[in-house]
C-alpha cells in the first residue's frame, strides 16, 4: 500500500477518537462547564449533525480546489476547533466548536475516501479503504480508552489539547505524502453527478451502510451497561470490552480489504446472516462473561467487515460522481452512527433493560437483510470484475 495512505489513516484515528471520546469525559466535563450530564450529552448529536451536513457541503465547495490543500485545511480546522474547546468555559462555545470539528471531520473523510481510492489500481480499492478505515478501529481500541485515562488523570481539557497537538504532525504528513492532485472542476457537471446519485444501486448501498452502522453503534454505545449489569463485571472491565470490540473491528476492516474488491457478494452473504444470529446471541448470553467477551470481539469483526464492504460498494456505485462519492459514503455512515444510539436509547427503559440495545441491533440488521433480499441491485459474488472504477 502507498505510504501516503498512512497519514490519512492517522488523521482518521484522531478524528475517530474525537467522535467517540465524550462518553468517558462527560462526568468531568459537565460540572466544569456548569451543565448537567444530560445537557452535556447534546454534544454527541451536535457532532453527528456537523458530520452529516459537512460531507456534501465541503465536497461541493472544494470542487475546484486542490485535494491535498483541502485535506490539510480540514485537519488544521479540526485541530483549531479542539484548541478552542480546550480554552472555553462556555458550554455554548464548546458545542459550536464540536460542530466545527465535525464539519472538518466530515469534509476530510469525504475527500480522503476518493483520495485513497485514487492512490491504488481499481482492483485494490477495498484494501486501500481498509487502511484508511483502520484509523477508526484503532481509535476504538486505543484512542478512546487512552483519552478516558488521560481525562481521568489531567482533566477533559487535556484530551482536547492532545488531539489539537496531534493535528500538527498529521497535517505535515498529509502535506508531504499525498499527491497535490486537482479538484473536479473539469469533471462532470453537478446535474450529471446528481443523476448518478439517484441510481438505485447507489441508494441501496447507502441505505444498507446506514442500517448496518446504526446496528453497530446502537450496541457499541451502550456496551457499558451490559458489562456492569447482566454480565456482573466491574467498571474496569468496560475498557476491556470496548478494546475487544475495537480489536475485532480492526480484524473485520482488514478482512473487508482482502475480499470486498473480489468477492463482495460472498462477504455480504456471510456477514449479514452471521450478525443476525450474533446480536440476539449476545443479548441472550449477556449474563455469561465467558461468552460475552469473545462474542463482542466476533461481532466487532463482523460489523466492520460488513460496513467496510458497503463503503467500498458506495464508492464503486458513485464512480460517475467524483465530487460527491466520498460525501455519499461519509453521510451514510454518520446517519447510521447518529440514528443507532437514538433508536436504542428508549429500549433501555423497557423490560429488556441493558439488553435492549442488543435487540435493537438485531432488528436493524434484520431490516437491512430484508431490504437487500428485496432488491435486485445487491452485488453478486463475482461482480467486482465488471464494476466501474471508483471516484478518482
Amino acid at each position: 500500500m502507498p505510504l501516503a495512505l498512512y497519514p490519512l489513516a492517522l488523521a482518521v484515528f484522531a478524528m475517530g477518537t474525537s467522535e467517540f471520546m465524550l462518553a468517558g469525559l462527560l462526568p468531568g466535563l459537565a460540572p466544569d462547564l456548569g451543565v448537567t450530564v444530560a445537557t452535556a450529552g447534546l454534544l454527541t448529536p451536535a457532532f453527528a449533525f456537523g458530520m452529516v451536513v459537512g460531507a456534501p457541503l465541503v465536497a461541493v465547495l472544494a470542487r475546484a480546489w486542490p485535494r491535498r490543500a483541502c485535506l490539510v485545511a480540514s485537519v488544521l480546522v479540526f485541530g483549531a476547533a479542539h484548541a478552542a474547546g480546550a480554552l472555553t468555559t462556555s458550554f455554548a462555545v464548546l458545542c459550536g466548536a464540536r460542530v466545527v470539528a465535525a464539519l472538518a471531520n466530515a469534509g476530510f473523510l469525504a475527500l480522503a475516501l476518493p483520495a485513497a481510492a485514487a492512490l491504488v489500481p481499481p482492483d485494490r480499492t477495498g484494501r486501500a479503504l481498509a487502511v484508511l478505515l483502520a484509523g477508526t478501529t484503532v481509535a476504538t481500541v486505543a484512542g478512546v480508552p487512552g483519552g478516558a485515562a488521560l481525562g481521568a488523570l489531567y482533566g477533559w481539557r487535556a484530551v482536547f489539547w492532545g488531539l489539537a497537538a496531534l493535528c500538527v504532525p498529521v497535517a505535515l504528513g498529509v502535506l508531504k505524502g499525498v499527491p497535490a492532485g486537482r479538484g473536479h472542476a473539469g469533471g462532470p457537471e453537478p446535474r450529471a453527478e446528481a443523476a448518478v446519485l439517484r441510481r438505485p444501486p447507489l441508494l441501496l448501498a447507502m441505505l444498507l451502510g446506514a442500517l448496518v452502522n446504526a446496528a453497530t453503534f446502537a450496541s457499541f454505545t451502550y456496551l457499558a451497561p451490559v458489562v456492569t449489569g447482566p454480565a456482573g463485571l466491574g467498571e474496569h472491565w468496560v475498557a476491556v470490552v470496548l478494546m475487544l470490540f475495537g480489536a475485532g473491528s480492526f480484524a473485520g476492516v482488514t478482512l473487508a480489504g482482502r475480499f470486498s474488491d473480489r468477492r463482495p457478494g460472498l462477504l455480504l452473504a456471510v456477514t449479514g446472516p452471521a450478525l443476525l444470529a450474533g446480536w440476539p446471541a449476545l443479548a441472550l448470553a449477556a449474563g455469561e462473561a465467558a461468552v460475552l467477551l469473545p462474542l463482542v470481539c466476533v461481532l466487532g469483526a463482523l460489523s466492520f467487515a460488513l460496513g467496510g464492504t458497503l463503503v467500498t460498494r458506495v464508492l464503486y456505485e458513485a464512480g460517475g460522481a467524483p465530487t460527491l462519492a466520498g460525501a455519499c459514503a461519509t453521510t451514510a455512515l454518520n446517519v447510521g452512527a447518529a440514528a443507532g444510539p437514538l433508536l436504542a436509547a428508549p429500549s433501555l427503559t423497557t423490560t429488556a433493560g441493558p439488553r435492549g440495545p442488543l435487540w435493537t441491533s438485531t432488528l436493524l440488521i434484520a431490516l437491512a437483510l430484508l431490504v437487500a433480499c428485496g432488491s435486485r441491485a445487491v452485488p453478486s459474488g463475482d461482480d467486482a470484475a465488471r464494476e466501474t472504477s471508483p471516484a478518482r
Side-chain angles (χ1 to χ4, degrees), residues 59 84-85 118 128 135 139-140 142 248 269 283 288 305 309 386 390 392:
T140 63
E288 299 293 333
T309 301
R386 54 184 173 83
R392 287 299 192 228

Side-chain angles (χ1 to χ4, degrees), residues 159-171:
V159 184
F160 277 68
W161 280 121
L163 287 172
L166 181 59
C167 288
V168 176
V170 166

Side-chain angles (χ1 to χ4, degrees), residues 333-347:
L333 291 178
N334 284 285
V335 166
L342 291 176
L343 293 171
S347 68

Side-chain angles (χ1 to χ4, degrees), residues 228-307:
T228 58
L233 298 173
E235 290 187 3
H236 61 282
W237 279 96
V238 172
V240 174
V241 171
L242 293 178
M243 290 178 68
L244 285 172
F245 188 91
S249 65
F250 181 82
V253 164
T254 303
L255 177 68
R258 296 288 181 182
F259 293 100
S260 61
D261 290 318
R262 295 180 288 112
R263 303 299 300 274
L266 176 62
L267 200 58
L268 295 173
V270 171
T271 55
L275 281 171
L276 185 59
W279 286 123
L282 183 59
L284 294 172
E288 299 293 333
V291 178
L292 172 73
L293 298 178
L295 193 53
V296 161
C297 186
V298 170
L299 288 171
L302 292 171
S303 296
F304 276 78
L306 181 55

Side-chain angles (χ1 to χ4, degrees), residues 87-382:
L87 288 169
T88 188
T89 57
S90 166
F91 176 75
V93 172
L94 178 59
C95 194
R98 291 297 287 169
V99 172
V100 172
L103 289 169
N105 187 351
F108 181 88
L109 282 176
L111 297 169
L113 287 168
L119 292 171
V120 297
D123 62 352
R124 304 191 76 188
T125 298
R127 296 188 66 178
L129 294 183
V131 173
L132 188 68
L133 295 176
T136 298
T137 63
V138 174
T140 63
V141 176
V144 175
L150 183 63
L153 290 173
Y154 301 107
W156 66 271
R157 296 178 190 275
V159 184
F160 277 68
W161 280 121
L163 287 172
L166 181 59
C167 288
V168 176
V170 166
L172 292 175
V174 173
L175 184 63
K176 184 175 180 180
V178 177
R182 292 181 297 176
H184 294 294
E189 292 297 320
R191 287 187 179 182
E193 293 205 27
V196 172
L197 301 185
R198 292 193 293 267
R199 293 179 61 240
L202 173 59
L203 295 176
L204 173 67
M206 291 179 64
L207 175 58
L208 293 178
L211 287 171
V212 169
N213 219 36
T216 301
F217 285 93
S219 289
F220 175 77
T221 304
Y222 299 108
L223 277 178
V226 176
V227 175
T228 58
L233 298 173
E235 290 187 3
H236 61 282
W237 279 96
V238 172
V240 174
V241 171
L242 293 178
M243 290 178 68
L244 285 172
F245 188 91
S249 65
F250 181 82
V253 164
T254 303
L255 177 68
R258 296 288 181 182
F259 293 100
S260 61
D261 290 318
R262 295 180 288 112
R263 303 299 300 274
L266 176 62
L267 200 58
L268 295 173
V270 171
T271 55
L275 281 171
L276 185 59
W279 286 123
L282 183 59
L284 294 172
E288 299 293 333
V291 178
L292 172 73
L293 298 178
L295 193 53
V296 161
C297 186
V298 170
L299 288 171
L302 292 171
S303 296
F304 276 78
L306 181 55
T309 301
L310 290 169
V311 169
T312 304
R313 302 309 305 170
V314 170
L315 288 185
Y316 273 127
E317 298 296 349
T323 301
L324 295 174
C328 289
T330 302
T331 299
L333 291 178
N334 284 285
V335 166
L342 291 176
L343 293 171
S347 68
L348 291 167
T349 61
T350 66
T351 55
R355 291 179 170 90
L358 303 176
W359 291 113
T360 302
S361 294
T362 302
L363 294 175
L364 288 168
I365 288 295
L367 178 59
L369 290 178
L370 286 174
V371 170
C373 291
S375 173
R376 297 179 181 179
V378 177
S380 64
D382 300 300

